[in-house]
Amino acid sequence: MPASPSTARAINDRLALRLLQDEGPLTATQLKTLTGLSRPTVADLVERLQGSGLVRVVGESGAERRGPNAKLYGIVADRAHLAALDVRTDSLSLTVADLLGATLAEASAPIDGEDGTGPAVEKAVSLLERTAKSAGVEQLHSVVVGAPGLIDPATGGLRDSAKLPEWHRRLIDALQERLPATVLVENETNLAAVAEQRAGAARDRDTFVLLWLGQGVGAAVVLDGRVRRGASGGAGELGFLPVPGTSGLPSATGCEGGFHELACAAAVAALAVEHGLDPADALASGHGPFLDALARRLAVGAAAVASVLDPGCVVLGGETGHRGGRELAARVEAELAALSPLRTEVRATELGDAAVLRGALLAARDAAQDELFGPTEHGSHDRP
């Protein structure tokens, strides 16, 4: 069935907004060419988007004749403001940005949960409020928090875990109570995968797996362009993969004896010491025997991923993937080729530790744009 006039208008508006986001300011003539719409239809949608406060004239095109067709239209970047938070065990980093994702302010601080859950939460929320204010932002539209741990698919919140600080879960509640904004939380590894797919090592891949190799070990699974979270939010909990030759078997309450025991930051540091290296410099040292030994360990987890998912590409993320770089990735790929008949390319992260915050900002931008660019009458939105 043909779309109703209102649905067709909404589709056309969203198409134009996406083009303005991806291509930058455009003239009406350029919008007509890129959308394939008629000149009257483009004129109507530009008028609608201007009336909604989403688009405005930002200049003129010197390549075209003077007049209405020379006006350049761009998205109103300050129509909504965003925040992205990267929550670690004992620290917080955040970015405040505009609707297009341009950074307006950044901040970070240690958060010591030993001083109590309440003080830790207050410090985190206050840091966000001060940073937004310093950027001239009165109200945030969308906030995305990247945190370790499982996300409950039913509630969208962090699931209880004895391994995580209590202030992590309380922070989400406090943000929702204090801010007139949409507050979302996502697993840090999943956000890192989003960033690597859209702005990093997996830009050319719709299907891949990101191995997060840091203090904790996990994976993000991206299939056909979408992050797959699993039935309980636990897809990619690779640290619990049983590995022969470790201290035992992992359990429901701990991943000792799993892949975590081979690949976490502490295990990598211990391996470096075994090879007579300073753990701080080992990954960048080019020391062949150490890198080979580490590659053999990492290939165990990558082989498990390949045998179940056959993703064709594995990205090594986190601190180990970033510092080991292409040299470590190439060694893991060679080891993996010997373990599995399934051809799997191994790449190093391009974004490093910044991937989580970058992914959270992309998710916040998507959330805001989905609402503001959505198939409703744009003038009905109350948010700034």
Side-chain angles (χ1 to χ4, degrees):
M1 294 179 62
S4 67
S6 62
T7 300
R9 286 193 297 270
I11 293 172
N12 292 339
D13 290 357
R14 193 176 182 92
L15 174 59
L17 288 163
R18 291 300 181 194
L19 287 169
L20 290 170
Q21 173 186 281
D22 295 340
E23 305 294 334
L26 297 169
T27 65
T29 299
Q30 289 170 326
L31 280 171
K32 174 183 178 297
T33 300
L34 291 170
T35 62
L37 300 172
S38 69
R39 188 174 298 277
T41 299
V42 169
D44 287 344
L45 75 82
V46 167
E47 184 177 356
R48 276 196 308 276
L49 295 175
Q50 283 185 287
S52 71
L54 287 171
V55 165
R56 65 183 168 209
V57 177
V58 296
E60 290 191 348
S61 172
E64 299 189 33
R65 66 177 177 81
R66 295 292 177 180
N69 290 335
K71 292 180 180 179
L72 279 169
Y73 299 95
I75 291 175
V76 180
D78 59 2
R79 177 69 171 80
H81 293 99
L82 324 169
L85 282 69
D86 180 3
V87 177
R88 303 296 173 96
T89 302
D90 55 4
S91 66
L92 170 68
S93 300
L94 63 89
T95 297
V96 175
D98 63 23
L99 182 59
L100 291 177
T103 298
L104 303 177
E106 297 176 300
S108 61
I111 305 289
D112 188 356
E114 293 183 0
D115 292 337
T117 298
V121 170
E122 180 59 34
K123 184 175 183 179
V125 176
S126 296
L127 180 65
L128 174 57
E129 291 175 334
R130 290 196 309 272
T131 305
K133 187 175 181 180
S134 73
V137 175
E138 295 296 327
Q139 183 172 314
L140 292 167
H141 181 285
S142 298
V143 177
V144 172
V145 180
L150 301 182
I151 308 301
D152 190 325
T155 66
L158 278 170
R159 289 175 54 183
D160 290 339
S161 172
K163 298 291 186 180
L164 296 177
E166 176 62 25
W167 70 268
H168 281 195
R169 284 182 296 279
R170 290 280 298 279
L171 174 61
I172 308 304
D173 294 336
L175 291 171
Q176 292 171 334
E177 292 168 3
R178 292 261 289 266
L179 302 178
T182 298
V183 178
L184 305 172
V185 61
E186 178 58 277
N187 174 267
E188 60 179 356
T189 307
N190 287 344
L191 289 175
V194 169
E196 293 288 356
Q197 183 186 28
R198 292 167 62 174
R203 286 188 296 270
D204 61 337
R205 292 282 183 168
D206 287 333
T207 295
F208 70 100
V209 170
L210 171 72
L211 292 189
W212 185 261
L213 305 167
Q215 285 186 322
V217 174
V221 178
V222 179
L223 302 177
D224 299 323
R226 293 179 55 196
V227 173
R228 306 294 177 164
R229 296 171 176 82
S232 62
E237 284 296 307
L238 199 63
F240 287 88
L241 176 74
V243 177
T246 54
S247 62
L249 290 174
S251 69
T253 58
C255 49
E256 295 79 7
F259 182 59
H260 173 92
E261 189 173 308
L262 292 182
C264 69
V268 175
L271 184 64
V273 171
E274 287 178 19
H275 285 81
L277 302 174
D278 181 346
D281 303 320
L283 284 163
S285 68
H287 189 276
F290 164 71
L291 292 175
D292 285 340
L294 178 57
R296 285 192 291 272
R297 291 185 177 194
L298 300 183
V300 171
V305 165
S307 65
V308 175
L309 297 174
D310 188 18
C313 179
V314 170
V315 176
L316 304 183
E319 180 183 3
T320 297
H322 179 51
R323 293 171 61 192
R326 293 182 179 178
E327 186 169 1
L328 178 60
R331 292 169 188 260
V332 174
E333 183 173 322
E335 292 289 341
L336 180 56
L339 292 176
S340 171
L342 304 175
R343 172 69 177 139
T344 306
E345 184 178 1
V346 180
R347 301 177 180 179
T349 171
E350 291 185 6
L351 301 177
D353 278 353
V356 177
L357 201 57
R358 184 73 172 272
L361 184 56
L362 287 167
R365 190 185 73 181
D366 289 348
Q369 291 184 357
D370 281 347
E371 180 180 334
L372 295 172
F373 298 0
T376 59
E377 291 299 323
H378 294 295
S380 67
H381 292 295
D382 295 325
R383 290 186 182 275

